[in-house]
Amino acid sequence: MLKSFPRGGVHPAENKFSAGNQITKLPLPKTVTIPLSQHIGTPAEPTVQRGDMVKTGQLIGKYKGFVSSNIHSSVSGKVLKVDKALDSSGYKRTSVVIEVNEDIWITKIDRSSDLRKEITVSGDEIINKILDAGIVGMGGAAFPSHVKMSVPKGKKCDILILNGVECEPYLTSDHRLMLEKGEEILVGFRLVMKALNVKKGMVGIENNKPDAISHLSQIAQQYPELEVFPLKVKYPQGGEKQLIKALTGREVPSGGLPIDVGVVVHNIGTAYAVYDAVQKNKPLIERVVTVTGNDVKKPSNFLVRIGTPLNQLVEAAGGIPAQTGKIVNGGPMMGKAMNSLEVPVTKGTSGILLIPEKESKRKPFRPCIRCAKCISVCPMGLEPFLLMTLTEKEIFDRVEKDKALDCIECGSCSYICPANRPLLDYIRLGKFRVGQIIRNRK
Amino acid sequence: MYEKINKLITVSPSPHVHSAGSTQKLMTGVLIALIPAFVIGIIMFGWGTLIVTGVAVISCLVFEYVIQKYLLKKEPSVTDGSAVVTGVLLAFSLPVNIPFWLVILGSLVAIGVGKMTFGGLGNNPFNPALVGRVFLFISFPVQLTTWPAPKGFGTSLTDAITGATPLGIIKEGLRNSDSMDTIMQNIRSSKEMLYGHMGGSLGEVAAIALAIGFIYLIMKKIITWHIPITILGTIALFTGIMWLIEPTQNASPVFHLLTGGAILGAIFMATDYVTSPMTPKGMIIFGVGIGLITVVIRRFGAYPEGIQFGILIMNAFVPLINSYFKPKRFGEEVKNG
Ligand code: SF4
Ligand code: SF4
């Protein structure tokens, strides 16, 4: 029996059109727009100003506070401005705009493609390099990785998990990375293990990627502390709490973090970035982005510099299809709809999904028929229909008591509801209001 | 929730895909599952089955539309198919020789009282079809308990012969203090009953046809096994115990399962989404409750059927059951090794 999380889950159509397409390098853009806030937490402080000349890999934004992240130039050229610019969230954020001129890298970066497997640095150095390189979780949430590397007092981490599930439909960037950079990823993963002083590493991959499973299993043979596990194809298998439960049987307590059960989870892109940072001195300045959709001519996986405008990626994938009705940053279950392609790739951009007009609008919703489907698919054991009703009626103490804050916003409830009810929209609102109430209580 | 940025792009919150399931599809699924029983009804009781069902369905649709549009002044939602299901289930629990006007009245009560007074689909605590059926049963006991004996295909409504239902025969026999053996001689064998060869309302008689519907519902994930199986299991268990203790006074559990609309009620009426609990544990409590009430009414009460009251009574407890039997939250009990 394949491992899986026990409760709930759905099976949306996988549609991994770009799974067979190799990662290709996108040509350099004319200008890049690099937001100073690409992560959860405090924005970085700019270290350059208009008119400065920068090199590829040079620091342009310094982290500020603990939950923050460094930002590096992904190109060489001239800083045109440091100013507010639209990013994929639809907000204007302070960004560094650079006019690209050749591609001159700072010298400490090892640009060769030689594989460096031996680990020569200490755990603390690894953490410092991760901090310096501005690495964040690359699965979408973009949580600064060094924060995950410091285990709070009184807690202990004994298992490290590498999340190769990629359970979002359509997206294939992690899949391709595993196939093409498997060695590097596992070295990166082992670096994190060393930094956290963990002796056991588990790699979880959904069973719809047999090539990646066999490839990584083969590489992992040289490392007795690593084991690769195929997982049942079920969304949201890659949800952090679900993955931990599936692999270790441990259940992160309500309101808790993975470290509460001795586990830390990192994603494929992040492990690769750690390899680059520690073994090659290369900061996080590029990433793999899937460009896909039902009508996209050439669904692709591109290696792109951070700050490249999204429309350049879409052009390279054959242009925007005529009947496109929605542009999603990320996958169809958890990605965010954008209102423009004139925004840059950031560290958290895992894919761009172009949804045809006819599928882009929700159907009008009908009364809840109490079919309980939303309950049975909720991986967190919540009652989405009830949370929606309570939020509508503004009974927030019950929204809180019924654990709205445990919702991982996976979207399974809205996906399944036969009455098309916008359950997650309301639950998000309920969570937000409950959060406010809790903050006011303190 | 929508925001149109320009003609081209929709910006709405995730998820951006939907399972394509709909209320209408679920209701259609329930109707498909009822087809085998419908066919048996026609074979056993003739074209009257079709007519009674047709009258009930059309009445339910018309009442729903009229009440929503003109009384509640809401957008009518007849297209969701729930009124059709109510109509069919009401018809299936009526005798085939029932006067038309009673079918229409039953539909009015089902939709008007059972559903719309509470605010329409999703808000009604009681199964509308059962509200209609029980109203008729209490108000017009004579018409509702004159069951046609099955005659076969091609029988017209008027020449159907009336005969008591098996449970009615037992109740009557026990009242005359006949022994169970004598009573049973008046009743067909279980095997015949399995195919629906007995007096009864038009959709409740054929266990096998209903079971096929059940399998379909499970396969299509329209319902789960919990409610039907616990109801039927509870009925079988308790009638079985009574039968073993006092075989002369009680009918066998097989008999109890095959008669009195137990199977129709357990599979199609008790599982009505709106009026049944939402978690597996709650469903089991609900099913056991219905089973027990059914057995008690059949054994000690005045009505040979009993499941209908059992369902309605347990319907009333659903809000309580739902608030008590919550799903198991992730990370609720932490036992980590
Ligand atoms: S899935 Fe939709 S219709 Fe069914 S209970 Fe949940 S909210 Fe109600
Ligand atoms: S309530 Fe939250 S966790 Fe549960 S299915 Fe809906 S989005 Fe997912």
Side-chain angles (χ1 to χ4, degrees):
Chain A
M1 256 270 281
L2 289 174
K3 286 178 183 275
S4 178
F5 63 100
R7 265 190 300 279
V10 291
H11 296 95
E14 291 168 30
N15 292 336
K16 305 259 188 188
F17 304 131
S18 48
N21 303 344
Q22 270 201 333
I23 298 170
T24 49
K25 250 197 184 130
L26 206 70
L28 287 181
K30 286 210 175 65
T31 58
V32 292
T33 305
I34 305 177
L36 290 169
S37 173
Q38 303 180 27
H39 46 266
I40 290 176
T42 325
E45 292 254 288
T47 57
V48 291
Q49 45 184 297
R50 190 173 151 191
D52 285 359
M53 297 301 291
V54 293
K55 288 184 179 161
T56 308
Q58 182 182 329
L59 188 76
I60 54 172
K62 178 100 183 126
Y63 68 87
K64 190 174 170 225
F66 184 51
V67 185
S68 182
S69 181
N70 276 344
I71 306 283
H72 301 82
S73 178
S74 59
V75 292
S76 61
K78 187 168 157 198
V79 176
L80 291 181
K81 57 182 177 180
V82 179
D83 199 2
K84 300 239 180 241
L86 204 63
D87 75 1
S88 60
S89 65
Y91 292 104
K92 287 197 161 178
R93 297 230 164 91
T94 307
S95 307
V96 178
V97 181
I98 301 165
E99 183 182 44
V100 181
N101 186 357
E102 293 180 73
D103 192 21
I104 303 153
W105 291 50
I106 53 170
T107 47
K108 71 166 190 181
I109 300 175
D110 171 4
R111 293 188 66 193
S112 73
S113 59
D114 309 340
L115 178 66
R116 275 204 57 211
K117 291 210 287 201
E118 67 291 354
I119 297 174
T120 50
V121 284
S122 74
D124 285 345
E125 274 173 277
I126 295 171
I127 297 179
N128 277 333
K129 288 202 167 190
I130 288 173
L131 174 64
D132 281 345
I135 297 176
V136 301
M138 291 172 74
F143 190 75
S145 296
H146 64 270
V147 180
K148 277 189 178 179
M149 308 293 287
S150 63
V151 177
K153 275 215 170 57
K155 305 251 156 81
K156 213 180 134 319
C157 175
D158 63 343
I159 298 181
L160 198 69
I161 291 178
L162 182 58
N163 185 349
V165 176
E166 203 165 50
C167 58
E168 270 277 8
Y170 292 93
L171 301 187
T172 57
S173 53
D174 284 353
H175 185 181
R176 288 313 307 180
L177 260 183
M178 287 190 277
L179 290 178
E180 297 174 34
K181 303 285 177 194
E183 289 275 8
E184 288 85 346
I185 289 166
L186 290 191
V187 173
F189 186 50
R190 290 177 62 242
L191 286 165
V192 182
M193 285 174 69
K194 173 158 189 194
L196 280 166
N197 193 22
V198 176
K199 299 282 173 295
K200 184 172 173 179
M202 302 172 99
V203 184
I205 305 174
E206 250 183 0
N207 207 27
N208 56 0
K209 298 179 264 293
D211 47 355
I213 293 170
S214 68
H215 186 56
L216 286 199
S217 303
Q218 208 175 357
I219 300 170
Q221 271 167 13
Q222 47 185 319
Y223 310 121
E225 69 275 25
L226 292 189
E227 198 177 344
V228 177
F229 295 90
L231 296 163
K232 194 171 155 189
V233 181
K234 182 162 83 164
Y235 178 87
Q237 194 71 262
E240 210 169 47
K241 294 180 178 177
Q242 280 61 40
L243 182 60
I244 293 170
K245 177 80 183 173
L247 287 176
T248 69
R250 301 179 189 178
E251 208 164 299
V252 178
S254 166
L257 291 170
I259 191 67
D260 294 331
V261 293
V263 181
V264 170
V265 182
H266 281 283
N267 140 293
I268 295 291
T270 313
Y272 183 52
V274 170
Y275 167 86
D276 270 349
V278 179
Q279 306 295 72
K280 301 276 181 175
N281 284 320
K282 182 180 160 196
L284 180 46
I285 54 166
E286 55 187 2
R287 70 158 295 150
V288 181
V289 180
T290 302
V291 181
T292 183
N294 290 357
D295 298 337
V296 170
K297 277 206 198 76
K298 291 182 282 178
S300 313
N301 304 291
F302 295 122
L303 181 66
V304 277
R305 303 283 173 94
I306 303 293
T308 306
L310 293 184
N311 47 21
Q312 200 165 328
L313 279 70
V314 173
E315 265 332 298
I320 188 160
Q323 294 299 318
T324 298
K326 198 190 252 184
I327 304 165
V328 177
N329 176 15
M333 294 301 287
M334 292 184 77
K336 291 194 174 58
M338 296 184 285
N339 55 25
S340 164
L341 279 171
E342 317 269 309
V343 295
V345 168
T346 59
K347 294 174 184 176
T349 310
S350 51
I352 304 166
L353 171 63
L354 302 172
I355 299 179
E357 172 91 58
K358 56 183 187 307
E359 288 160 38
S360 65
K361 292 194 187 63
R362 297 182 183 168
K363 298 211 186 72
F365 66 87
R366 287 176 176 272
C368 169
I369 54 169
R370 307 173 63 82
C371 65
K373 287 189 185 293
C374 53
I375 297 179
S376 65
V377 300
C378 178
M380 299 306 291
L382 307 178
E383 296 153 287
F385 85 100
L386 183 67
L387 294 174
M388 173 170 173
T389 312
L390 293 173
T391 302
E392 257 178 324
K393 294 187 182 156
E394 310 203 348
I395 313 175
F396 293 112
D397 52 329
R398 287 194 54 202
V399 175
E400 183 185 354
K401 263 224 311 277
D402 278 310
K403 297 280 180 196
L405 292 184
D406 280 357
C407 167
I408 58 168
E409 308 194 10
C410 68
S412 300
C413 49
S414 300
Y415 170 83
I416 206 76
C417 177
N420 282 300
R421 296 180 74 71
L423 296 162
L424 178 52
D425 298 2
Y426 276 87
I427 296 170
R428 274 199 199 97
L429 179 66
K431 284 174 74 172
F432 176 71
R433 294 294 300 276
V434 168
Q436 280 180 326
I437 292 168
I438 292 178
R439 275 194 296 281
N440 288 341
R441 224 178 268 156
K442 283 182 184 148
Chain B
M1 282 287 162
Y2 284 101
E3 198 184 343
K4 275 268 198 174
I5 301 300
N6 60 35
K7 268 214 193 77
L8 205 71
I9 298 169
T10 308
V11 177
S12 59
S14 65
H16 308 288
V17 280
H18 189 263
S19 59
S22 67
T23 309
Q24 213 172 359
K25 277 189 194 162
L26 289 171
M27 296 299 162
T28 310
V30 174
L31 292 172
I32 291 173
L34 283 162
I35 290 175
F38 187 52
V39 171
I40 298 287
I42 294 176
I43 293 172
M44 290 297 157
F45 300 114
W47 294 113
T49 302
L50 190 69
I51 297 166
V52 173
T53 310
V55 170
V57 167
I58 292 168
S59 315
C60 283
L61 282 171
V62 170
F63 288 134
E64 173 143 323
Y65 185 86
V66 169
I67 292 173
Q68 281 188 322
K69 177 128 191 169
Y70 299 105
L71 290 179
L72 303 178
K73 309 226 181 298
K74 280 206 288 193
E75 187 62 25
S77 60
V78 280
T79 49
D80 66 22
S82 63
V84 180
V85 171
T86 301
V88 174
L89 288 179
L90 175 66
F92 275 26
S93 60
L94 297 174
V96 74
N97 50 345
I98 185 174
F100 285 172
W101 64 274
L102 275 184
V103 180
I104 297 173
L105 184 64
S107 306
L108 177 62
V109 172
I111 296 292
V113 179
K115 190 170 176 188
M116 290 306 162
T117 48
F118 297 104
L121 181 66
N123 299 308
N124 47 304
F126 301 104
N127 183 326
L130 278 180
V131 171
R133 145 84 205 200
V134 166
F135 164 79
L136 291 179
F137 188 73
I138 293 172
S139 319
F140 305 92
V142 180
Q143 289 89 331
L144 263 284
T145 47
T146 314
W147 305 97
K151 201 50 201 318
F153 215 50
T155 321
S156 81
L157 257 180
T158 42
D159 50 59
I161 304 151
T162 57
T165 66
L167 275 172
I169 295 175
I170 293 193
K171 269 260 132 99
E172 191 55 36
L174 289 174
R175 215 171 281 151
N176 303 337
S177 42
D178 297 347
S179 84
M180 203 40 120
D181 285 348
T182 342
I183 298 170
M184 278 299 172
Q185 280 163 11
N186 296 325
I187 300 174
R188 298 182 183 268
S189 75
S190 300
K191 202 164 136 226
E192 281 184 302
M193 291 197 295
L194 213 51
Y195 305 123
H197 212 95
M198 61 178 165
S201 52
L202 50 88
E204 71 179 31
V205 293
I208 289 183
L210 292 167
I212 292 171
F214 177 58
I215 293 167
Y216 179 81
L217 290 177
I218 297 282
M219 272 173 21
K220 289 275 166 184
K221 297 200 169 144
I222 295 172
I223 62 170
T224 60
W225 60 268
H226 303 83
I227 294 175
I229 298 297
T230 44
I231 294 179
L232 298 174
T234 308
I235 294 180
L237 182 70
F238 286 93
T239 55
I241 292 172
M242 296 191 311
W243 183 58
L244 287 175
I245 298 172
E246 279 187 303
T248 55
Q249 287 299 302
N250 294 294
S252 77
V254 177
F255 178 87
H256 273 286
L257 288 182
L258 293 180
T259 59
I263 297 181
L264 179 71
I267 298 173
F268 290 96
M269 291 174 168
T271 54
D272 169 33
Y273 288 143
V274 180
T275 58
S276 64
M278 300 176 79
T279 60
K281 262 189 225 151
M283 289 175 182
I284 288 170
I285 300 293
F286 180 74
V288 171
I290 293 173
L292 282 178
I293 297 172
T294 307
V295 174
V296 169
I297 293 179
R298 282 187 182 184
R299 181 67 184 83
F300 307 106
Y303 304 104
E305 290 81 10
I307 188 160
Q308 292 152 2
F309 290 98
I311 295 172
L312 285 176
I313 292 168
M314 289 308 290
N315 281 165
F317 287 101
V318 166
L320 200 67
I321 296 177
N322 275 341
S323 63
Y324 198 75
F325 294 96
K326 297 265 179 190
K328 188 173 173 294
R329 314 279 192 217
F330 188 98
E332 187 178 40
E333 288 160 34
V334 190
K335 41 165 177 39
N336 291 309

